Amino acid sequence: MSVRVRRVYEPPEPDDGVRILVDRLWPRGLSKDAARVDEWPKALTPSTELRRWYHAGEGSYEEFTERYEAELDAPEASELLGHVRELAAKEPVTLLTAAKAPEQSHAAVLVRLLASPAR
């Protein structure tokens, strides 16, 4: 299984495979042509409330992770997580995010969950 995270502002690379935008909002100043996004499953992204709570600095990354994982247990999100897991079993998958620190974002949570057995 090959899943990696890249900033959506970086130019696409030939080995990106399926490019999946994992942000709820479209990245500022980026055209859809330049982004070359194959899928944009908004139900797989953190809710607006959770995103605002985390960016307001009201909680730790660990608490954000717990809350986000709880959101991913919802049927639609769980189904989408399974879909991405199936894609990654067949070909490379690149999760795209505008986060300035992807290693401390929801994208890192997704990579970890995709690498683990289905929940």
Side-chain angles (χ1 to χ4, degrees):
M1 178 178 298
S2 174
V3 179
R4 69 179 181 168
V5 176
R6 295 188 63 220
R7 292 204 66 225
V8 69
Y9 297 107
E10 297 172 4
E13 294 181 356
D15 60 344
D16 281 348
V18 179
R19 293 172 52 88
I20 302 174
L21 180 62
V22 294
D23 291 346
R24 187 164 294 264
L25 303 175
W26 187 262
R28 290 183 193 175
L30 186 65
S31 73
K32 293 190 179 185
D33 286 339
R36 285 203 16 231
V37 169
D38 296 310
E39 296 187 19
W40 187 15
K42 292 181 187 177
L44 194 59
T45 67
S47 66
T48 300
E49 297 78 17
L50 180 58
R51 183 177 48 81
R52 287 181 179 158
W53 171 84
Y54 183 54
H55 291 296
E58 296 179 19
S60 67
Y61 179 69
E62 291 74 23
E63 188 175 355
F64 166 79
T65 297
E66 289 174 17
R67 291 182 180 199
Y68 181 42
E69 286 181 15
E71 288 186 354
L72 291 172
D73 285 335
E76 186 178 5
S78 181
E79 184 177 318
L80 287 168
L81 195 61
H83 167 70
V84 174
R85 190 177 279 118
E86 288 173 10
L87 285 175
K90 297 174 189 169
E91 59 187 307
V93 168
T94 299
L95 303 180
L96 302 169
T97 182
K100 292 179 182 173
E103 65 282 352
Q104 287 286 307
S105 76
H106 63 289
V109 175
L110 288 172
V111 168
R112 182 176 48 76
L113 292 176
L114 288 167
S116 66
R119 305 175 355 151

